[in-house]
Amino acid sequence: MNRVPIQNIYFLLCYAWKHLQETKYANLRTENCSKVWDLLAKVLIRSSKQLLKRGLHRNYVERRERRIRPRGKINFSEDIRRPLIGSASVPCQYDELDSDVLPNQVIFSTFKLLQRHPNLDRSISKELSDAIAYWSGFTEISVSPKTFRRLRLSRSMRHYRFTLSVCELIHGEYQPLENQGESRFRDFLQDEATMGTLFEQFVYNFLDKEQSKYRVSAPHVPWAFDSDLSSQRGLRFLPTMKTDIVLESSDDRVIVDCKFYKDAFQRHHDTAKFRSGSLYQLFTYLKNQEVKPGWENAKGMLLYPTTLEAIDETVHIQGHDIRVVSINLDQPWQSVSADLLEIFVA
């Protein structure tokens, strides 16, 4: 895999997370960043400052305490179970508006996690410490994938989405190790699963935003099964066919599969072949979709980042053009953008 410049990683994340207003800060976000973890730390610092300026989200939090001056609901059953002899206070239960709520706790806990990174640039570590000072009043929590599933961001909280997406990526690439107290931060650029998801989201949102020739969607492809010759139990076991990207215009249909591999080919000795699994999957989508009117000659595309060599090849199989093509991410962003548009709408 060719090197991906830090600034391009930033653009990729902005498109993947639908936060395109951040792209105008590209130079500011990537200055002095030579490593991807420096970039993530810097992005989190700057985006959290914007949240502070805008005003942090608050929500009602339930409080339970004994008070001399009653507030809210008096919990008489608690007083009967645990009477406090000689005290004029009564147990109260009430809701109080507070900013120490889950989204802000996640951000603060992510700052604390980043503090443990052993190789951050010294100047960025200093910025990190300064930023934490503004968030020190929040509760540090244990963050897991389940934590992010619990987050429910309303329309009024959409300005939190980019920051929390950065937090989710950071926690996803942090690995506690079995040795006492040891941990490591993976380089997510080398993680094909993480980068595959980001690459797919980036291409989808880029096409949705930057071109008007196609309608962009990502539907499920139904199996073209024969119900009379199939068992109902067998049909329940059929796997779901979820596309990455489907492009539709008045005269064209394209199913796109985005793949982020270190090598687009499978190699045996000195022989290179297209990856069979990727090709079989895309061809299955095309054959099952062709029963739908207008899809009889739909095209397919496998899109890779530039790997060991540039690729742009087309094969015609049973009525369908299948193009295997790469995009070079190791070039100025304006060139990446222009090349992507050329691939799809030229």
Side-chain angles (χ1 to χ4, degrees):
M1 179 75 65
N2 284 359
R3 182 183 68 87
V4 182
I6 290 296
Q7 189 173 64
N8 286 358
I9 292 296
Y10 182 72
F11 278 111
L12 188 149
L13 295 177
C14 288
Y15 274 97
W17 296 334
K18 297 184 179 180
H19 214 76
L20 302 186
Q21 61 267 37
E22 288 288 326
T23 58
K24 63 184 178 182
Y25 300 114
N27 291 328
L28 191 65
R29 293 287 192 267
T30 57
E31 62 184 7
N32 301 326
C33 293
S34 59
K35 294 175 291 188
V36 69
W37 280 101
D38 290 338
L39 171 66
L40 292 180
K42 200 171 187 71
V43 168
L44 183 61
I45 291 166
R46 296 296 180 95
S47 61
S48 69
K49 286 181 179 178
Q50 292 175 4
L51 292 179
L52 289 167
K53 288 179 181 178
R54 183 163 181 167
L56 296 180
H57 174 68
R58 298 191 297 169
N59 207 345
Y60 284 98
V61 177
E62 184 182 272
R63 307 291 190 199
R64 293 173 180 263
E65 61 181 3
R66 300 189 70 92
R67 297 175 59 92
I68 294 177
R69 294 184 178 181
R71 180 178 178 184
K73 176 183 175 183
I74 299 176
N75 196 341
F76 290 106
S77 61
E78 178 70 16
D79 218 11
I80 293 172
R81 283 199 310 271
R82 299 177 182 175
L84 199 59
I85 307 300
S87 173
S89 65
V90 292
C92 298
Q93 177 181 332
Y94 59 93
D95 291 334
E96 184 175 56
L97 201 59
D98 196 343
S99 58
D100 190 21
V101 291
L102 185 60
N104 297 327
Q105 292 169 352
V106 168
I107 294 170
F108 175 63
S109 301
T110 307
F111 275 131
K112 298 294 285 185
L113 177 64
L114 274 176
Q115 269 193 320
R116 299 201 286 271
H117 196 294
N119 298 317
L120 287 181
D121 179 86
R122 184 177 300 178
S123 65
I124 294 177
S125 292
K126 175 63 168 60
E127 286 187 58
L128 190 63
S129 297
D130 293 342
I132 288 175
Y134 289 100
W135 293 78
S136 58
F138 295 97
T139 303
E140 185 177 1
I141 62 173
S142 176
V143 179
S144 69
K146 186 177 180 180
T147 307
F148 292 98
R149 291 195 292 271
R150 287 170 51 204
L151 288 170
R152 295 291 184 268
L153 301 185
S154 63
R155 179 182 293 271
S156 63
M157 293 181 64
R158 60 182 178 270
H159 56 292
Y160 266 79
R161 288 174 185 160
F162 183 76
T163 307
L164 290 172
S165 294
V166 177
C167 293
E168 186 171 11
L169 179 58
I170 289 170
H171 283 279
E173 298 306 305
Y174 170 75
Q175 284 189 318
L177 303 179
E178 293 183 359
N179 296 335
Q180 290 184 349
E182 292 188 14
S183 59
R184 70 172 181 172
F185 291 80
R186 295 181 298 186
D187 181 355
F188 74 86
L189 297 180
Q190 306 303 317
D191 182 345
E192 288 185 350
T194 298
M195 286 304 300
T197 299
L198 288 172
F199 184 58
E200 172 193 332
Q201 293 171 343
F202 152 63
V203 176
Y204 182 101
N205 291 326
F206 178 90
L207 293 174
D208 194 43
K209 174 70 176 177
E210 304 297 345
Q211 60 82 44
S212 57
K213 176 181 178 180
Y214 293 104
R215 183 174 69 86
V216 183
S217 63
H220 290 81
V221 174
W223 287 93
F225 57 79
D226 189 327
S227 57
D228 293 335
L229 301 177
S230 306
S231 68
Q232 291 303 308
R233 189 164 182 262
L235 293 177
R236 290 200 300 270
F237 290 148
L238 288 175
T240 299
M241 292 192 288
K242 174 69 169 62
T243 58
D244 290 350
I245 302 170
V246 169
L247 305 175
E248 297 181 69
S249 69
S250 58
D251 57 357
D252 205 8
R253 307 284 188 276
V254 187
I255 298 178
V256 183
D257 242 13
C258 300
K259 303 297 183 183
F260 200 96
Y261 293 132
K262 294 178 181 178
D263 190 352
F265 295 100
Q266 55 190 26
R267 300 174 186 273
H268 184 68
H269 301 302
D270 295 328
T271 303
K273 301 286 187 183
F274 292 138
R275 286 178 174 263
S276 57
S278 301
L279 197 57
Y280 296 160
Q281 180 185 36
L282 181 58
F283 188 64
T284 300
Y285 290 172
L286 290 167
K287 293 304 289 182
N288 281 273
Q289 189 72 354
E290 72 179 10
V291 300
K292 186 177 178 181
W295 288 84
E296 296 86 353
N297 301 114
K299 300 172 185 175
M301 180 187 294
L302 291 172
L303 179 67
Y304 294 90
T306 298
T307 53
L308 300 178
E309 58 188 87
I311 309 165
D312 191 355
E313 305 294 343
T314 300
V315 293
H316 188 82
I317 306 175
Q318 295 185 27
H320 301 282
D321 283 339
I322 297 179
R323 185 181 181 188
V324 181
V325 62
S326 62
I327 175 69
N328 180 12
L329 299 180
D330 186 14
Q331 57 179 331
W333 179 256
Q334 293 80 1
S335 298
V336 174
S337 178
D339 287 354
L340 264 180
L341 290 174
E342 184 176 357
I343 287 172
F344 287 98
V345 300

